[in-house]
Amino acid sequence: MKINGKPYRSIWREASGEVRIIDQRWLPHELRIVALSSREDYAVAIRDMWVRGAPLIGATAAYGVAGQMGRDPSDASLSETWEVLHETRPTAINLRWALDEMERVLRPLPAAERAAAATKRADEIADEDVEINRRIGAHGLALIREIAAKKPGKPVNILTHCNAGWPATVDWGTATSPIYHAVEAGIAVHVFVDETRPRNQGAQLTAWELNAAGISHDLIVDNAGGHLMQHGEVDLVIVGTDRTTAQGDVCNKIGTYLKALAAKANDVPFYVALPSPTIDWTVVDGVKEIPIEERSDREVTHVQGRDASGQIIQVQISPDGTGGRNPAFDVTPAALVTGLITERGICRADAAAMEAMFGDLKAAALSR
Ligand SMILES: CSC[C@@H](O)[C@@H](O)C(=O)COP(=O)(O)O
């Protein structure tokens, strides 16, 4: 997607081979681009959320493995790199998917061939993510088009949570891809952007990218969605996912579950944009089985923003001595999900429909 007219991906390899990312901690106020080199660079970038969003975490880990293979392509190094990168963030399954994919390609090769093969596979994973998200957009466009046809002359109002936009992927985004496609197709849309406390990925990233693309949007506090739905102001909810189970339970940024409950109560369609690498075929019951990342309570007691002098600062919003709990994700049971927008089409959120659409991927994943 474009920033000031210039196309960017969220991670890319320069002609020199150097891998660069947008360091998302400073958006929307500063666009900082940094190079990642050592394995520790990659681990820190994922753990401390310089990059974030399930698909981008996966692509970054793949480049991390490739970088390490250039330095030490031994079996021990491959195993250790899998472990070091895997422990950076526990919930987004794309991390394990990408590491397993690198391992599958690299392990059978002689060490001398691993560096080149790893770079090639990391590039492919990045390119495949872009294509998957483009297709999600094309399928989601059909949904938006249907709603638009029922309200001629009025915009389709879409609510989204967190940032499942292009900064969360290599490009296009998942939840935002149908929105970009709709705008390209000349359909009027308006996006309600949940701020998404505690880290405010909605306020900082989704608002930033929609603003850059000139798409009509309003930032709303996390508590406003139910009210807007009750008053008929939301036509459609589209969110992303960090891990979706074999029966269609959706793990996503904390607060997604509450939006799904409000959508159900108000008959608002609730769709999840789901790239297939985000399906965890080994897990069925999402509430019981998905590990939920607990992050520092400082993210709850403090907020980051820009002060009047232009400095990016953090301020404390709670009393000294008040601690916090900070579960970073929640699980929306499949029964609350109207459908999954995947690269292969729109799928019911249940085991049979997912098997019918992705049986080949399920078999491959379970045979590993
Ligand atoms: C296409 S991204 C889907 C999800 O990864 C996204 O909604 C989300 O929850 C991101 O969480 P984050 O903690 O910012 O990595």
Side-chain angles (χ1 to χ4, degrees):
M1 294 285 136
K2 289 187 178 154
I3 306 172
N4 297 329
K6 185 175 168 203
Y8 279 88
R9 286 184 173 189
S10 56
I11 189 165
W12 67 95
R13 206 159 57 80
E14 291 285 322
S16 64
E18 187 175 75
V19 175
R20 294 191 183 168
I21 57 161
I22 297 173
D23 181 348
Q24 299 184 26
R25 294 171 300 162
W26 313 109
L27 292 172
H29 307 300
E30 285 176 24
L31 178 66
R32 290 195 202 172
I33 290 164
V34 296
L36 300 179
S37 173
S38 69
R39 183 168 68 195
E40 190 54 19
D41 285 351
Y42 282 90
V44 168
I46 298 172
R47 187 184 307 115
D48 295 345
M49 295 176 68
W50 304 20
V51 292
R52 28 66 53 200
L56 178 57
I57 290 170
T60 305
Y63 279 116
V65 173
Q68 181 63 17
M69 290 299 96
R71 279 181 296 274
D72 175 1
S74 66
D75 280 358
S77 161
L78 183 56
S79 303
E80 201 178 278
T81 302
W82 194 101
E83 295 295 339
V84 166
L85 294 175
H86 185 249
E87 70 188 15
T88 51
R89 292 195 74 190
T91 301
I93 196 62
N94 303 58
L95 176 59
R96 193 181 77 201
W97 175 87
L99 291 170
D100 283 350
E101 189 53 25
M102 296 301 281
E103 165 100 25
R104 184 187 67 76
V105 169
L106 300 175
R107 184 70 70 185
L109 297 178
E113 291 175 22
R114 282 182 180 159
T119 300
K120 179 170 174 285
R121 188 65 191 117
D123 282 345
E124 286 167 0
I125 286 173
D127 289 344
E128 284 163 17
D129 181 62
V130 178
E131 179 56 16
I132 285 172
N133 300 331
R134 192 192 63 74
R135 288 179 190 210
I136 285 174
H139 293 299
L141 166 61
L143 277 178
I144 297 177
R145 209 189 277 288
E146 240 173 71
I147 296 170
K150 291 184 196 145
K151 46 184 311 200
K154 293 193 178 146
V156 177
N157 295 313
I158 301 169
L159 183 142
T160 192
H161 189 70
C162 190
N163 175 260
W166 75 261
T169 65
V170 179
D171 207 351
W172 282 111
T174 59
T176 53
S177 187
I179 295 169
Y180 288 123
H181 279 77
V183 169
E184 266 179 28
I187 298 170
V189 296
H190 180 78
V191 185
F192 289 114
V193 179
D194 283 352
E195 60 178 344
T196 318
R197 276 281 286 149
R199 287 185 70 101
N200 289 320
Q201 288 95 328
Q204 298 186 334
L205 302 172
T206 308
W208 173 74
E209 66 171 296
L210 295 177
N211 204 40
I215 295 176
S216 165
H217 65 284
D218 284 316
L219 180 62
I220 57 173
V221 296
D222 290 325
N223 295 326
H227 167 80
L228 293 175
M229 291 187 215
Q230 223 169 27
H231 288 268
E233 292 198 50
V234 179
D235 298 307
L236 173 67
V237 178
I238 311 180
V239 297
T241 170
D242 290 82
R243 194 187 296 218
T244 290
T245 74
Q247 69 177 11
D249 294 341
V250 171
C251 183
N252 192 48
K253 181 53 56 192
I254 192 79
T256 302
Y257 173 46
L258 282 175
K259 292 302 141 70
L261 287 169
K264 186 76 166 180
N266 292 286
D267 260 334
V268 174
F270 182 92
Y271 280 88
V272 176
L274 169 67
S276 60
T278 310
I279 304 171
D280 185 349
W281 296 105
T282 68
V283 163
V284 176
D285 184 328
V287 176
K288 288 199 183 123
E289 296 174 72
I290 296 178
I292 300 294
E293 178 178 12
E294 290 266 351
R295 296 186 61 85
S296 161
D297 68 351
R298 191 181 161 87
E299 293 181 351
V300 181
T301 57
H302 291 65
V303 288
Q304 176 170 300
R306 186 174 59 185
D307 71 10
S309 73
Q311 285 273 98
I312 296 175
I313 56 162
Q314 291 188 348
V315 294
Q316 182 178 329
I317 57 170
S318 53
D320 288 343
T322 293
R325 263 298 296 284
N326 190 8
F329 299 94
D330 61 26
V331 174
T332 298
L336 296 176
V337 177
T338 311
L340 306 167
I341 311 171
T342 79
E343 71 268 26
R344 293 188 182 176
I346 295 183
C347 182
R348 269 197 334 271
D350 68 45
M354 289 178 71
E355 166 105 45
M357 191 168 276
F358 291 108
D360 56 331
L361 299 185
K362 179 178 180 183
L366 295 182
S367 71
R368 281 191 192 143

